[in-house]
Amino acid sequence: MKLQIKDINLWYGDFQALHNISMDIKSNEITAFIGPSGCGKTTLLKSLNRMNDLIESCKIVGNITLDSEDIYKVKNIEQFRKRVGMVFQKPNPFPMSIYDNVAFGPRAHGITKKEDLDKIVEKALKDAAIWDEVQDRLHKSALSLSGGQQQRICIARTLAIEPEVILMDEPTSALDPISTAKIEQLIMTLKDKYTVVIVTHNMQQAARISDKTAFFLNGELIEVNDSDLIFTNPQDKRTEDYITGRFG
């Protein structure tokens, strides 16, 4: 198991955002977190690479392991986040060239030789399915690209540090349908090399691209199963009500 989540309870101050969450996330699979707004799915996603550490009022009890190692006992957070990369809801390229965006992580981890960086940048852009569109303008600002292209640059930036797990927080919610289809296609190719966890509001998206789907409600994990079973034969009435549109 790549990630194991056991009995996770999380508070922001007095508010309990997650209640007794336990689930396993397998290597080389796409796991989707679905549920209405405020149900805890993004909170759990951020816990998987310790982004909640940045919130002073946040308290977490329970256990999360990456390859059987307790992530809350990891001393070197930078090294840990290299293993667990994150792509956010809105494309957030740095205000610098396409090349420098993708080379940013490798440089931060000590890679300085131009030929090494050139190889890493090209490979990451190819893996993010955007090399053909940008290879002639690598030294132009990443902010000059369309939203869908910017999001693929952000994915390339994450791939450049060679993570093992990629967390995606609604990566297509700010994009048009054509860009969304490209990103979905890309995500499905990524699971050959990476473990992918995606938060999505789009249930059709979860059904199309994920292997496993977890349904959250009011900070609880209601049900997790193979995606085809969640969407055709849910075990819990609340899951069924959500996916058939009775609420949410």
Side-chain angles (χ1 to χ4, degrees), residues 23-211:
M23 65 179 290
D24 293 340
I25 294 170
K26 271 191 183 168
S27 297
N28 302 104
E29 280 194 349
I30 299 167
T31 301
F33 292 174
I34 64 168
S37 292
C39 68
K41 51 194 190 297
T42 294
T43 296
L44 181 61
L45 189 80
K46 287 181 174 173
S47 302
L48 298 179
N49 79 339
R50 290 185 52 178
M51 281 196 71
N52 287 318
D53 287 19
L54 306 171
I55 301 167
E56 266 184 43
S57 65
C58 183
K59 176 186 155 200
I60 298 178
V61 174
N63 219 254
I64 301 174
T65 59
L66 174 66
D67 291 334
S68 304
E69 182 184 2
D70 185 336
I71 71 169
Y72 284 94
K73 290 185 177 156
V74 170
K75 296 280 187 282
N76 188 333
I77 293 284
E78 287 308 306
Q79 210 51 41
F80 168 68
R81 291 212 180 107
K82 185 175 185 290
R83 296 176 66 194
V84 185
M86 184 123 186
V87 176
F88 295 92
Q89 187 168 0
K90 287 202 173 92
N92 61 342
F94 303 137
M96 52 177 72
S97 72
I98 293 166
Y99 183 98
D100 288 339
N101 261 276
V102 182
F104 188 88
R107 280 181 178 139
H109 289 284
I111 297 170
T112 52
K113 275 176 73 178
K114 186 178 181 306
E115 62 193 278
D116 293 342
L117 288 168
D118 286 352
K119 278 183 194 155
I120 290 167
V121 168
E122 181 174 341
K123 182 177 186 308
L125 289 168
K126 281 180 172 168
D127 286 351
I130 193 167
W131 171 254
D132 292 346
E133 293 165 54
V134 300
Q135 60 177 316
D136 299 332
R137 43 180 174 151
L138 293 178
H139 299 289
K140 294 255 168 59
S141 169
L143 299 175
S144 67
L145 299 173
S146 71
Q149 289 173 320
Q150 286 186 19
Q151 191 63 302
R152 280 182 284 149
I153 294 297
C154 295
I155 292 171
R157 192 173 67 197
T158 300
L159 299 182
I161 56 170
E162 299 189 325
E164 298 160 39
V165 178
I166 302 173
L167 309 176
M168 295 184 158
D169 187 10
E170 296 194 50
T172 63
S173 66
L175 304 180
D176 62 87
I178 291 168
S179 300
T180 295
K182 282 186 177 168
I183 301 272
E184 285 185 5
Q185 220 170 353
L186 165 59
I187 293 168
M188 287 191 282
T189 64
L190 291 177
K191 74 171 181 180
D192 293 343
K193 297 180 190 164
Y194 309 95
T195 301
V196 180
V197 186
I198 178 171
V199 164
T200 178
H201 265 113
N202 182 330
M203 281 182 284
Q204 289 79 14
Q205 181 173 76
R208 279 194 297 268
I209 70 171
S210 68
D211 300 288

